[in-house]
Amino acid sequence: MNIRQTTLMGVVVVTLVGISGCANRWERPVQADGTYCYVFGKQKKSACTPHAVPSMESDQAAKRFTADPAALTVYVVRHRANDGINLVPITVDTLAPVVSVPETFIRLRLKPGTHELTSSWQGKTVTQTIQGQAGEVKFLQLAGAVWSWGADYAWVPGNDEQARGLTLKSRLIANVMAL
């Protein structure tokens, strides 16, 4: 190998080592009070759940996507690149809202039938109806678009494979049982 090839190889190795840290997702620890915080950017801005979250064991169990033969299981995932650090409440039917932060998900075990999911942000409300039978597993994304002039949230039903992948990269913040 000549000097040029050696230099090029060195640059390639240093670059690959440098970007490999970006590819590894580090786990954000649960706070001492049981809440979970999403931390963003160099200024370390954070958004924390106002409630304690389930254990890591529950998180791992939920990520097996096991159907409950007596319930409709719905995964609500919030994981988008330009989501911001807003606390966004999610309500199912008449249940108490669960406040979500970016890169999190909620597992709902619901009675078979039709349910309405609602999210409100700065006076805007978005609603999505979901219907299913016992033993079904469904996915729904709450997609945020945050820009310097404002934020907008919308329900994105459909692409289960993409939503499942995003769920695997997210943290369980609530396990809701409404049977």
Side-chain angles (χ1 to χ4, degrees), residues 35-67:
T35 60
Y36 174 78
C37 296
Y38 171 79
V39 180
F40 177 77
K42 292 180 182 178
Q43 290 121 4
K44 302 289 185 198
K45 293 180 181 180
S46 65
C48 300
T49 61
H51 52 80
V53 299
S55 68
M56 281 303 292
E57 291 79 19
S58 295
D59 178 87
Q60 293 304 312
K63 290 177 181 172
R64 289 187 203 108
F65 307 114
T66 306

Side-chain angles (χ1 to χ4, degrees), residues 24-106:
N24 294 330
R25 186 178 179 286
W26 57 278
E27 288 297 322
R28 295 175 178 94
V30 171
Q31 305 300 304
D33 62 357
T35 60
Y36 174 78
C37 296
Y38 171 79
V39 180
F40 177 77
K42 292 180 182 178
Q43 290 121 4
K44 302 289 185 198
K45 293 180 181 180
S46 65
C48 300
T49 61
H51 52 80
V53 299
S55 68
M56 281 303 292
E57 291 79 19
S58 295
D59 178 87
Q60 293 304 312
K63 290 177 181 172
R64 289 187 203 108
F65 307 114
T66 306
D68 182 334
L72 165 63
T73 304
V74 180
Y75 286 83
V76 178
V77 63
R78 183 176 163 202
H79 195 295
R80 285 285 173 108
N82 61 335
D83 193 5
I85 59 168
N86 301 319
L87 300 174
V88 180
I90 297 170
T91 305
V92 180
D93 298 329
T94 59
L95 301 174
V98 175
V99 177
S100 69
V101 298
E103 296 187 12
T104 60
F105 73 97
I106 301 164

